[in-house]
Amino acid sequence: MARGRPREEGIDDAVREAVRALLTESGYQRCTIDAVAARAGVGKAAVYRRWRSKAELVFAAVIHPVELEPPEDTGSLRGDVAAVLGVIQSSLDGPEVKSALPSLLADVRADPALEARFGEAFLGRERGYLVLMLERAVVRGELSRRPDPALVHSILLGPVLTWLHLFTEKPPSGGLAASLASPLHAAVVALGA
């Protein structure tokens, strides 16, 4: 028999929507757990049962949830790299992310316990996602060995993050992910040689 209160349907969606609305209206600093709970019409305990901190809540609401769908298998490493770049770009693009990311990362870096949980919950799962893509490439013979997922993660994430959050130029006419796919594919192949 299950113990405790069952999770109510719709709370997760209401909380995520409240986070997005508060970030748009008042920014990261004023997007508190109290404000999110009030906006979503739930108690603070319901929020804390799902997310342990404001940083984890905001990341899960506007970038990606803890659980990730397996990466698309396009049939080639180059296609998979392009697809993953598209996922990264869509995760990091948008006004809520632009508003929250600098302060969210500062909060994570300032708290060693939060940084460790964040690394396990989000970065670890992102790297596990990439391991699936890399292992497929090894099986297909496109890589002789699986490169370090942390290096591949930084190679794919870095350029997208830099373009979307540091540059003011519009993305290349062919699209950012498509423009980065060939050079970053070559970098991943070099690491797996």
Side-chain angles (χ1 to χ4, degrees), residues 131 134 138 143 145-152 187-193:
V131 165
L134 296 169
V138 170
L143 298 172
R145 64 178 180 81
R146 188 188 83 205
D148 179 355
L151 286 175
V152 172
V188 172
V189 169
L191 286 174

Side-chain angles (χ1 to χ4, degrees), residues 34-49:
D34 287 341
V36 169
R39 181 73 169 251
V42 301
K44 284 190 333 186
V47 176
Y48 280 116
R49 274 195 298 276

Side-chain angles (χ1 to χ4, degrees), residues 6 30 35 72 80 115 117 157 159 176 189:
R30 292 194 176 130
E72 180 181 353
D80 290 355
E115 187 174 21
R117 277 196 325 271
L157 178 63
L176 182 59
V189 169

Side-chain angles (χ1 to χ4, degrees), residues 80-90 155-157 160 177 180-181 184:
D80 290 355
V81 165
V84 167
L85 287 169
V87 169
I88 293 169
Q89 180 178 350
S90 68
I155 285 170
L156 300 180
L157 178 63
V160 177
L180 291 171
L184 296 183

Side-chain angles (χ1 to χ4, degrees), residues 96-181:
E96 298 95 354
V97 178
K98 288 183 192 279
S99 164
L101 196 59
S103 296
L104 184 151
L105 293 177
D107 280 358
V108 169
R109 289 299 221 190
D111 180 346
L114 175 59
E115 187 174 21
R117 277 196 325 271
F118 195 85
E120 181 182 317
F122 295 107
L123 297 180
R125 287 196 172 81
E126 290 171 5
R127 290 176 183 160
Y129 177 94
L130 293 175
V131 165
L132 296 173
M133 176 189 81
L134 296 169
E135 288 179 347
R136 288 193 309 241
V138 170
V139 168
R140 288 190 298 251
E142 296 171 287
L143 298 172
S144 59
R145 64 178 180 81
R146 188 188 83 205
D148 179 355
L151 286 175
V152 172
H153 192 213
S154 68
I155 285 170
L156 300 180
L157 178 63
V160 177
L161 184 66
T162 300
W163 191 285
L164 294 176
H165 294 276
L166 296 179
F167 294 171
T168 58
E169 295 93 7
K170 291 183 181 180
S173 61
L176 182 59
S179 297
L180 291 171

